[in-house]
Amino acid sequence: MEICMPVRRVTSGLIIAAVFAWSPLFAQTTDNDFFEAKIRPVLAQKCYGCHNSKMVAPKAALVLDTREGLAKGGVSGPALVPGKPEESRLLKVLSYADPLVQMPPSGKLPESVLADFEQWIARGAADPRTSASAAAASPQYKGMSLEQGRQWWAFQPLAAVRVAETPTATFTAWPKTKIDRFVLDKLQSRKLDPSPQADRRTLVTRAYVDLLGYKPSYEEVQQFLNDRSPSAYEKLIDRLLVSPHYGERWARHWMDVARYGDDNSTSEATNPPYPFAWRYRDWMIEALNADVPYDRFIKLQLAADLMPSATRDELRALGYLGAAPMYHHDLRLSGDVIGGFLTDDWDERIDAVSRGVLGISMGCARCHDHKFDPITQKDYYALMGVFASTVRVERPTFPVDPKIERRYLWLQRQLFDMAYSVNLLGNEGTTFTDGAEKAVKWKAEVASLKAEATTLLAKYPQLVQSLEKFWNPPRRIVPPPAPAAAAAPAPAAPRSPGAAPEPPAASATAALTPASAALAPAALAPGAVPTPAAPVPPPPAARDRVLSSSDPFVNAVFEAAQYVDASDPSYTFIVYKPGEARNMPLLKAGNYAAPGAIVPRGFPAVLSKGDTAFQQGSGRLELADRIFTDAPGLAARVIVNRVWGWHFGRPLVTTPSDFGTQGDKPTHPELLDDLAARFVEHGWSLKWLNKEIMLSAVYQQSSKPRPDALQADEANALLWRQNPRRLDIEAYRDTLVRSAGVLDEQIGGLPGDLDSDTYFRRAIYGRVSRARAAQVLALYDFPEATQTAPDRDVTITTLQQIFLMNSAFIQNLAETAAKAAATATGDAEQIAMLYRRILARDPTATEMRAAIEYLQKGTLARYAQVLLATNEEIFLP
Amino acid sequence: MSLKLTRRQMIEALGGGVGVVGLAGLFASISRSELHAAGLGNYAGPRLPAKAKHVIMLYMNGGPSQLDMFDPKPALFKYAGQRPSAVDLRTERTTGGLLPSPFEFKRYGRNGVQVSELLPQLASVIDEICVIRSMYTFNPTHTPGRALFHTGSVLATRPSMGSWITYGLGTENENLPAFVALGNAAGGGPQNRSGFLPTEYQGVGFAVADPDPEKIIPNLRNKNVDPAGQRTDMDALLQLNQNYSASFGTDRFLEGRIKSMESAYRMQFEALDLFDIRKEPEHIREEYGTGAFGNGCLLARRLVEAGVRYINVDYPGGQIWDDHRDVNDNLRKRCPDMDQAAAALIRDLKRRGLLDETLVVWGGEFGRTPVSESGSGRDHNPYGFTMFVAGGGFRGGIAYGNTDEFGFKAEQNRVSMHDLHATLLNQLGMDHTKLTYRYAGRDFRLTDVFGEVVKDILA
């Protein structure tokens, strides 16, 4: 590029000189007007978002909102050769003539606009902008005022949108639902035709994967193919929607957004694994099966404990907050450091709710007013107060007198922290300022808390039992003297004994090996931190009991304000005040040590109808309510867009967790609005939405490539076909296991190990570790569960193929499938049986010949493995 | 379909690249200019003159003691056992008086850089090494400190430097992971985390304690069938996949996966070779040492030769440099194999002409206090500690920056983790303020809003 630049400058200089030489002045003015009328609005609307001079790193280093930027070009070189449209990269990219770079990504510009660009470049690419006016042309990137913000498309109230009668006669019969008319309208305006309906086998496969999360068996396909009634497809959808396996598919989708996990990324003493998170997962499955309205589905996850209409059983939903990712709080650290950790935790909740539910990013406002969106730092700390008044606890599944429960929950937290602290004291490797005094004082406090708990909770023995570990810590695991260690003065343990108070997983790496993962149980009881070197893992039963437990508790939250007590310069305590709420100070640059003015708890101003402030308790219930009273349009658009993406592999807004100015705009805004409005009208029913989408002609289109359409719209932004998809890892693993005939379809329960060669339950039941995802999940783009995930990547790697070629897991499945097929007589029958089991169809004559020929050299089991590894198995056309 | 193209597909889609990939051996590297021409990296800022292409991070988990290795402090003897007010800095634990280092320091190399007797091998290559004695970080505990070291943030969510660098520069060998974490087989943690970056930039973890490649890469060998038999199976699979493509039509995913299958088939055998450090001459293995760390360093060199972009090598044993007690005895036991392997790696890269294009970085999440803990140990010290960088255009044979009189706090020419990250990216040809990723409504950076390139330590 350095070499190109001077040459180009000379060229364009010559051309501009040439233009001046023959153009009268008025022609120049006309060219400028042409730019203002035809070119600049398009650049502003379609390009500035990613290519503007205010950005630290504009995409492709190309800046289009200044004259200088446009003249300079980007990483691929000059954008323009004035006078030569055919040599101008800008036009090539806009025309979608470059297979790799096609702009704008939301869809090709209309031919008439492209013609304008061509004409503009041909006439010398006049650009009258000055630097000042360039900035003025993109005011939205300097942040938004509240008033401007309220005009933002995603925040507008919803209303059903009228759609014009389809003007063309060609496809009058094509639309099946209202959705189709929006899509057809847009396709026709770009002179594209929709694709024909997919074949029936494809339709039934799509329906099974989209609603149940695995491909149908041969028999299930046949059942549909044999139903010749006109309503066969609708009946299929209805049948699958009431299957109890529907919830397993749709809970897993939501779990990406809810960043579901069974533990923490470090799982140390104060942020141990969540033994009851699985109950939250099971609640999601049941709630989605029951088609709990989406607004209630969200409210329960935020505030089930505060909703008069919620049942005790629905406390499980609080896992959304109670099993949220969090950090270890080593109380030996200073108050500012602990305060910093707490605000990190609360920040995570704000991020999960704002991006996951509201589709806006508030994280930026932790340090300063949002630079692009109408979110202020005040809005941010108004929400932080809600989470600073919400404390993570394990709550009983059985009913308890509310007053007693509240005190119990406080006791649980207080005992946890005290037992953790006493344990630190007791460790010989740790010295403390005033250690002896502290020992006396803290032990006395534990004793007093114990006395209170045993009296208060006399009627609830299970609650007392749940606290016993705090005053009666299980004995430490003492490492047996290793032979080598006996000889050496200091044992060559992974860590020195002085490190013992660090809980086992303090070394993230150590926690990752199976042997040390087995040490995790002790981390659960804060008073019982084992010597990390302990080489003898507890028996598997003990390990499972502690990583996950079926004791009658849920990982949930309760109402209490949290403060940091730094009055002792050598030790920090967290103070919990049940029933109280805390307003956070605005933290300058996000720094806990630099508090500013107190911000009342409340709802983001730009979304509020009326007063922003919350009045009751933490404000959690008000937050949950106001999402749906004050911002129902946004909440509905966000979930409808997600559901669309889960049905199509590409959402209408391609940044599903960012509907702000930095996100993409919808490809079909009217369709999104209309569908969201009707979704709300239909009582926020997700099953209604599933069905409405699946009955559309758009959804039922073939996904086969069409050269003309690919040429015009390779990204399929216009929906000229259904998108061909790769199964996600859950659907793929479940389909593989089901193909072998060994899928255990039992619903719910404790999590298991997905990396086990013989774990045949559905993938949703695999343990989701934030420290270490199961290898099979990591291999296939499973999102990290440490933060809300907007979408999933689709990668192709050699390690995936190695897994299919050589792993014991696949070989076991292949052998199982082959064993079943071997019961048939003769090669042909056996081959046919394998095809039916694995690919859910009969082999063609050619395939049969090839397979029989293969059996001369290979075995039936190996052939089964070949079929399992096919593109056909992992692909969803 | 929102599909990430494989490197191969991208090159092919551009035309003309087919031959490069098709004809070159599996592990042959594609030249840097070709990569850039193909746009395989995502870095869109100005191209700085790149000195280095690869990074080997030697990670000393737990926080090694700078005072006993690189940062001699005679004042510790003078005030041994005492607690002058200058050392009243709050650390994780309660600490006692000053604890002198028993290890003798001598001057080495053309500039007389001081190195302790614990590290004779590193001392012998000190002219290749830029010792930074004025590092500092922001958090006194392991987990956040480790996250900051690898990701530039104390949070448990951000992408590691390896992910950022492979995201920015792409890979040189599409058949290998561009980012590898040795000694961290189970994955997870900031050493290999890709965070919000696409999953293809995640570090792939391999165990290296046992040098047998089949132990290093799970499922590398098919235990049911010999290579010829497997070829038969692959041919059957290829046929089925081609037929399927013929009936469906052209599709990037289908084509990409067919090619990936073929690559994987070949990779099994090539990886058996590449990952087998036992194939190195005996004297080379002896030079590195045959423990897990020696194995890791030697494999790291082989991976650099094969075009892997970023290799993190964990010193084995988890958080082992965390010497709250018995620091002297522990260092006597632990330093020899670390010293031997790290020095052998630098020497070996130099011999092969690879040191110029490889950054070898050494360090832990923080250092240790000059004041004692429990009488014989040292507590965590984020205020001042030592790291070193060899190769990749860093100035060798210098000790940069200084801590205070007692080695507690970095005082002169302070270098933060963000500064070091910025400087490493600079040597890889990237402006750290321009290596960004749009996520959750804003552009994120490895260096957040911090970081200055430390020009004085660059050649």
Side-chain angles (χ1 to χ4, degrees):
Chain A
M1 227 180 92
E2 285 79 3
I3 300 165
C4 291
M5 279 305 293
V7 177
R8 201 193 65 81
R9 239 183 257 123
V10 170
T11 315
S12 69
L14 284 175
I15 292 201
I16 288 166
V19 170
F20 276 109
W22 62 259
S23 300
L25 191 60
F26 73 86
Q28 185 66 25
T29 313
T30 313
D31 285 347
N32 287 348
D33 289 346
F34 187 83
F35 174 86
E36 292 293 355
K38 300 280 189 186
I39 303 301
R40 177 143 146 176
V42 179
L43 291 175
Q45 199 194 340
K46 297 287 183 185
C47 316
Y48 288 8
C50 301
H51 303 284
N52 77 77
S53 54
K54 303 291 176 295
M55 296 172 75
V56 176
K59 294 282 161 72
L62 177 65
V63 166
L64 294 176
D65 65 342
T66 66
R67 178 183 179 153
E68 296 73 24
L70 182 55
K72 183 163 164 279
V75 279
S76 309
L80 288 174
V81 181
K84 296 193 174 166
E86 66 286 355
E87 288 176 38
S88 292
R89 181 151 175 83
L90 181 69
L91 191 63
K92 189 178 177 195
V93 166
L94 293 178
S95 316
Y96 278 40
D98 180 329
L100 280 182
V101 186
Q102 303 184 331
M103 291 291 151
S106 55
K108 195 176 164 186
L109 297 170
E111 287 304 328
S112 62
V113 173
L114 293 176
D116 290 341
F117 271 85
E118 190 173 354
Q119 189 188 346
W120 169 64
I121 297 170
R123 291 178 64 101
D127 185 347
R129 292 176 296 181
T130 64
S131 295
S133 74
S138 53
Q140 66 268 41
Y141 297 106
K142 295 195 289 187
M144 272 189 188
S145 71
L146 197 59
E147 286 318 308
Q148 281 175 312
R150 292 202 167 117
Q151 304 306 313
W152 184 248
W153 72 269
F155 303 160
Q156 299 311 302
L158 284 175
V161 181
R162 273 193 58 224
V163 61
E165 284 304 316
T166 310
T168 159
T170 327
F171 289 101
T172 41
W174 185 77
K176 293 180 195 286
T177 66
K178 197 174 176 189
I179 290 173
D180 300 323
R181 294 174 42 199
F182 291 107
V183 173
L184 184 61
D185 207 33
K186 194 137 192 168
L187 280 170
Q188 299 276 279
S189 76
R190 306 287 169 86
K191 301 198 169 50
L192 271 173
D193 295 342
S195 291
Q197 190 176 46
D199 61 69
R200 284 166 59 85
R201 168 181 302 280
T202 299
L203 288 180
V204 65
T205 306
R206 237 180 241 168
Y208 266 80
V209 171
D210 274 4
L211 294 180
L212 305 191
Y214 46 60
K215 288 189 171 180
S217 67
Y218 180 78
E219 292 72 23
E220 288 159 340
V221 172
Q222 291 306 313
Q223 188 189 346
F224 178 67
L225 296 183
N226 293 336
D227 184 348
R228 287 285 159 200
S229 71
S231 60
Y233 178 71
E234 188 172 353
K235 279 191 298 184
L236 170 73
I237 306 288
D238 286 338
R239 186 165 57 78
L240 298 181
L241 279 172
V242 297
S243 160
H245 299 302
Y246 166 88
E248 294 175 314
R249 176 60 169 170
W250 284 81
R252 190 49 258 180
H253 283 318
W254 180 249
M255 284 157 76
D256 281 8
V257 182
R259 68 335 183 199
Y260 173 89
D262 289 291
D263 62 11
N264 273 302
S265 58
T266 61
S267 288
E268 294 170 68
T270 66
N271 64 342
Y274 296 117
F276 313 108
W278 62 274
R279 288 210 162 94
Y280 168 47
R281 177 246 286 145
D282 283 0
W283 171 81
M284 288 187 264
I285 294 171
E286 292 164 34
L288 291 166
N289 274 337
D291 201 20
V292 168
Y294 175 74
D295 54 346
R296 182 173 169 83
F297 180 70
I298 295 300
K299 286 185 208 175
L300 285 167
Q301 293 177 69
L302 286 169
D305 55 330
L306 306 174
M307 289 165 65
S309 67
T311 64
R312 184 92 206 165
D313 192 43
E314 284 171 327
L315 284 188
R316 290 182 295 165
L318 292 174
Y320 179 75
L321 298 174
M326 64 170 291
Y327 305 104
H328 171 47
H329 308 145
D330 184 334
L331 297 176
R332 287 169 299 193
L333 300 173
S334 73
D336 286 345
V337 175
I338 296 295
F341 285 149
L342 285 173
T343 49
D344 285 346
D345 289 342
W346 301 331
D347 175 71
E348 193 285 326
R349 313 300 171 265
I350 295 173
D351 183 61
V353 175
S354 65
R355 285 200 294 133
V357 180
L358 289 168
I360 53 175
S361 59
M362 294 190 66
C364 310
R366 186 176 182 179
C367 301
H368 48 71
D369 291 349
H370 202 298
K371 284 186 178 166
F372 306 108
D373 292 346
I375 299 290
T376 62
Q377 212 181 346
K378 193 165 160 265
D379 289 323
Y380 177 91
Y381 286 97
L383 275 187
M384 186 174 271
V386 174
F387 297 108
S389 310
T390 298
V391 173
R392 163 192 59 108
V393 278
E394 294 172 359
R395 296 180 73 143
T397 54
F398 49 88
V400 175
D401 177 284
K403 269 189 198 151
I404 294 183
E405 185 178 15
R406 190 159 88 180
R407 189 65 184 171
Y408 162 74
L409 296 174
W410 177 81
L411 281 166
Q412 184 190 104
R413 283 267 37 112
Q414 193 66 13
L415 273 163
F416 186 103
D417 288 0
M418 291 312 301
Y420 163 78
S421 305
V422 168
N423 180 64
L424 289 179
L425 273 175
N427 191 290
E428 54 180 348
T430 303
T431 51
F432 266 86
T433 309
D434 309 325
E437 269 172 53
K438 283 190 169 81
V440 172
K441 195 171 145 203
W442 293 356
K443 281 177 184 164
E445 181 161 358
V446 170
S448 132
L449 292 169
K450 174 189 173 184
E452 186 192 341
T454 43
T455 317
L456 176 78
L457 306 173
K459 279 204 303 191
Y460 303 97
Q462 276 173 304
L463 296 188
V464 180
Q465 206 186 331
S466 74
L467 301 177
E468 272 168 5
K469 57 182 176 271
F470 299 129
W471 56 73
N472 196 16
R475 276 190 325 128
R476 287 233 210 102
I477 304 164
V478 180
R495 283 189 285 153
S496 59
E502 288 284 1
S507 151
T509 40
L512 303 176
T513 64
S516 56
L519 290 172
L524 241 198
V529 177
T531 307
V536 183
R543 169 185 160 187
D544 289 343
R545 176 168 51 78
V546 184
L547 287 177
S548 296
S549 162
S550 51
D551 289 351
F553 290 88
V554 289
N555 285 108
V557 291
F558 85 123
E559 294 270 282
Q562 287 171 95
Y563 296 87
V564 173
D565 174 5
S567 57
D568 179 340
S570 68
Y571 202 79
T572 305
F573 274 108
I574 300 170
V575 178
Y576 310 94
K577 299 190 172 174
E580 290 185 24
R582 176 180 183 189
N583 284 329
M584 285 297 291
L586 190 145
L587 302 179
K588 289 166 195 160
N591 182 356
Y592 185 82
I598 298 289
V599 183
R601 301 180 316 291
F603 201 60
V606 73
L607 302 177
S608 288
K609 288 181 184 157
D611 186 19
T612 60
F614 296 151
Q615 308 295 341
Q616 300 149 24
S618 65
R620 242 185 319 125
L621 180 56
E622 286 158 286
L623 168 62
D625 281 339
R626 290 188 65 171
I627 289 171
F628 297 97
T629 55
D630 288 26
L634 180 59
R637 283 183 182 96
V638 168
I639 187 62
V640 165
N641 183 59
R642 289 194 196 282
V643 170
W644 186 278
W646 289 324
H647 278 296
F648 280 90
R650 179 192 156 110
L652 298 168
V653 176
T654 58
T655 52
S657 293
D658 190 357
F659 278 47
T661 58
Q662 298 301 287
D664 288 336
K665 295 248 184 92
T667 50
H668 296 74
E670 292 180 321
L671 166 58
L672 178 61
D673 277 16
D674 184 69
L675 199 53
R678 293 192 293 134
F679 169 66
V680 175
E681 267 171 39
H682 284 84
W684 300 84
S685 163
L686 291 167
K687 286 191 177 181
W688 173 85
L689 184 57
N690 294 134
K691 187 172 171 181
E692 186 66 15
I693 290 173
M694 294 175 77
L695 289 182
S696 71
V698 187
Y699 175 85
Q700 293 175 47
Q701 285 178 108
S702 161
S703 65
K704 290 196 175 185
R706 280 166 31 207
D708 65 314
L710 275 173
Q711 183 78 21
D713 175 25
E714 198 197 359
N716 194 27
L718 297 171
L719 293 160
W720 51 267
R721 63 167 167 172
Q722 169 64 286
N723 292 302
R725 288 176 274 167
R726 183 197 80 183
L727 296 185
D728 56 42
I729 181 55
E730 293 88 347
Y732 188 39
R733 192 183 192 275
D734 291 348
T735 298
L736 289 169
V737 176
R738 206 164 182 256
S739 295
V742 289
L743 186 67
D744 172 357
E745 302 210 33
Q746 182 198 330
I747 295 169
L750 293 165
D753 178 7
L754 276 184
D755 283 333
S756 157
D757 300 336
T758 51
Y759 188 75
F760 294 142
R761 297 202 57 198
R762 296 200 62 180
I764 190 177
Y765 299 116
R767 178 182 307 286
V768 179
S769 171
R770 292 186 173 114
R772 188 219 153 192
Q775 290 193 355
V776 65
L777 296 182
L779 211 45
Y780 286 95
D781 309 305
F782 186 78
E784 289 181 20
T786 50
Q787 56 191 333
T788 176
D791 48 20
R792 291 198 184 187
D793 298 324
V794 178
T795 61
I796 304 171
T797 69
T798 43
L799 289 176
Q800 292 165 356
Q801 325 314 341
I802 295 259
F803 171 74
L804 290 169
M805 287 156 57
N806 300 342
S807 72
F809 173 72
I810 295 292
Q811 288 171 352
N812 284 350
L813 293 182
E815 274 158 27
T816 310
K819 213 170 276 174
T823 56
T825 12
D827 281 358
E829 269 307 299
Q830 293 180 353
I831 295 287
M833 202 153 152
L834 267 193
Y835 263 84
R836 287 177 195 157
R837 287 198 85 111
I838 296 171
L839 300 178
R841 64 176 176 87
D842 291 305
T844 63
T846 322
E847 285 168 337
M848 179 61 87
R849 268 197 306 279
I852 289 176
E853 198 178 310
Y854 170 90
L855 287 183
Q856 307 297 312
K857 296 172 277 183
T859 66
L860 201 58
R862 277 165 53 195
Y863 199 71
Q865 192 182 343
V866 167
L867 293 181
L868 288 168
T870 52
N871 278 352
E872 187 174 347
E873 179 85 343
I874 197 172
F875 194 64
L876 181 61
Chain B
M1 177 163 7
S2 64
L3 173 67
K4 304 275 185 312
L5 291 186
T6 63
R7 301 303 174 196
R8 178 190 291 267
Q9 286 172 307
M10 289 192 68
I11 293 175
E12 288 182 357
L14 283 156
V18 186
V20 176
V21 177
L23 298 177
L26 258 176
F27 296 110
S29 54
I30 305 160
S31 80
R32 187 179 182 80
S33 58
E34 282 162 330
L35 278 170
H36 283 169
L40 297 185
N42 294 286
Y43 173 68
R47 301 277 172 200
L48 309 176
K51 297 283 191 295
K53 294 181 186 175
H54 311 277
V55 179
I56 299 175
M57 171 65 75
L58 305 178
Y59 180 53
M60 305 294 121
N61 196 340
S65 171
Q66 75 283 8
L67 297 153
D68 299 295
M69 299 162 94
F70 291 106
D71 197 8
K73 291 293 168 184
L76 298 183
F77 286 98
K78 191 170 165 193
Y79 298 100
Q82 297 180 42
R83 210 177 152 83
S85 62
V87 300
D88 264 341
L89 296 173
R90 181 161 178 171
T91 53
E92 186 184 58
R93 320 276 175 90
T94 303
T95 51
L98 288 167
L99 179 71
S101 171
F103 304 110
E104 189 188 345
F105 281 78
K106 279 191 190 154
R107 293 184 179 276
Y108 297 90
R110 56 179 178 263
N111 296 321
V113 174
Q114 297 192 68
V115 182
S116 102
E117 62 180 293
L118 287 171
L119 309 172
Q121 296 289 326
L122 282 167
S124 76
V125 292
I126 200 70
D127 279 342
E128 309 299 336
I129 293 176
C130 173
V131 178
I132 307 169
R133 295 200 293 213
S134 51
M135 292 298 304
Y136 68 99
T137 173
F138 304 101
N139 199 292
T141 41
H142 293 288
T143 307
R146 191 180 300 128
L148 185 72
F149 182 99
H150 290 287
T151 74
S153 161
V154 297
L155 299 177
T157 52
R158 298 285 163 80
S160 68
M161 184 171 23
S163 296
W164 276 111
I165 288 170
T166 48
Y167 163 77
L169 296 181
T171 184
E172 292 193 336
N173 186 329
E174 49 162 327
N175 290 312
L176 287 174
F179 172 19
V180 164
L182 300 179
N184 190 15
Q191 287 98 319
N192 16 4
R193 183 163 59 223
S194 58
F196 47 69
L197 291 177
T199 48
E200 64 180 299
Y201 304 111
Q202 190 165 27
V204 178
F206 295 110
V208 285
D210 187 326
D212 179 352
E214 289 185 46
K215 299 274 167 51
I216 296 174
I217 306 179
N219 304 321
L220 189 55
R221 206 170 58 81
N222 192 313
K223 296 186 177 63
N224 278 0
V225 59
D226 62 20
Q230 198 182 27
R231 186 63 254 174
T232 306
D233 297 355
M234 298 302 290
D235 288 341
L237 178 60
L238 181 63
Q239 190 60 55
L240 285 166
N241 285 344
Q242 284 173 343
N243 291 347
Y244 188 80
S245 287
S247 72
F248 182 79
T250 308
D251 182 88
R252 279 181 180 174
F253 174 78
L254 296 177
E255 302 311 311
R257 194 166 177 273
I258 287 173
K259 286 173 182 148
S260 178
M261 277 291 173
E262 289 303 309
S263 300
Y265 173 76
R266 295 192 305 266
M267 180 184 144
Q268 300 173 98
F269 312 114
E270 307 235 8
L272 273 175
D273 188 53
L274 173 68
F275 279 78
D276 198 348
I277 55 168
R278 297 170 304 185
K279 298 197 168 155
E280 289 284 326
E282 198 52 38
H283 69 275
I284 296 284
R285 289 210 66 200
E286 274 168 22
E287 185 179 3
Y288 279 83
T290 52
F293 191 61
N295 290 348
C297 287
L298 180 48
L299 181 53
R301 190 218 79 209
R302 290 173 70 92
L303 293 176
V304 161
E305 288 174 313
V308 174
R309 180 73 66 193
Y310 190 101
I311 302 131
N312 181 86
V313 187
D314 272 9
Y315 186 85
Q319 198 168 288
I320 197 161
W321 297 87
D322 191 22
D323 293 313
H324 288 279
R325 298 185 76 189
D326 303 323
V327 59
N328 299 338
D329 291 345
N330 293 340
L331 290 179
R332 278 192 192 95
K333 271 179 275 168
R334 215 179 288 131
C335 281
D337 71 323
M338 186 280 288
D339 178 51
Q340 180 185 359
L345 175 64
I346 293 168
R347 223 182 279 123
D348 197 11
L349 286 170
K350 173 91 176 171
R351 279 198 301 263
R352 288 161 194 267
L354 289 168
L355 189 59
D356 289 342
E357 60 181 59
T358 307
L359 290 156
V360 180
V361 188
W362 177 98
E365 61 267 35
F366 33 59
R368 307 212 76 86
T369 55
V371 283
S372 78
E373 185 192 339
S374 317
S376 63
R378 300 184 186 276
D379 195 7
H380 307 168
N381 178 10
Y383 301 102
F385 64 102
T386 298
M387 288 181 66
F388 76 67
V389 182
F394 273 65
R395 283 171 65 192
I398 65 162
Y400 181 78
N402 279 310
T403 49
D404 61 22
E405 189 181 7
F406 306 106
F408 212 147
K409 195 169 177 179
E411 276 192 348
Q412 191 194 6
N413 294 329
R414 287 159 57 82
V415 180
S416 72
M417 237 21 257
H418 295 119
D419 296 335
L420 183 62
H421 288 163
T423 311
L424 293 170
L425 293 186
N426 181 76
Q427 295 307 90
L428 292 160
M430 294 185 283
D431 175 344
H432 71 104
T433 67
K434 300 286 194 281
L435 177 62
T436 62
Y437 187 78
R438 173 67 58 82
Y439 177 74
R442 74 174 172 101
D443 287 327
F444 280 84
R445 288 166 27 190
L446 170 62
T447 50
D448 198 350
V449 295
F450 310 105
E452 294 286 337
V453 174
V454 188
K455 298 239 164 66
D456 293 348
I457 55 179
L458 300 179

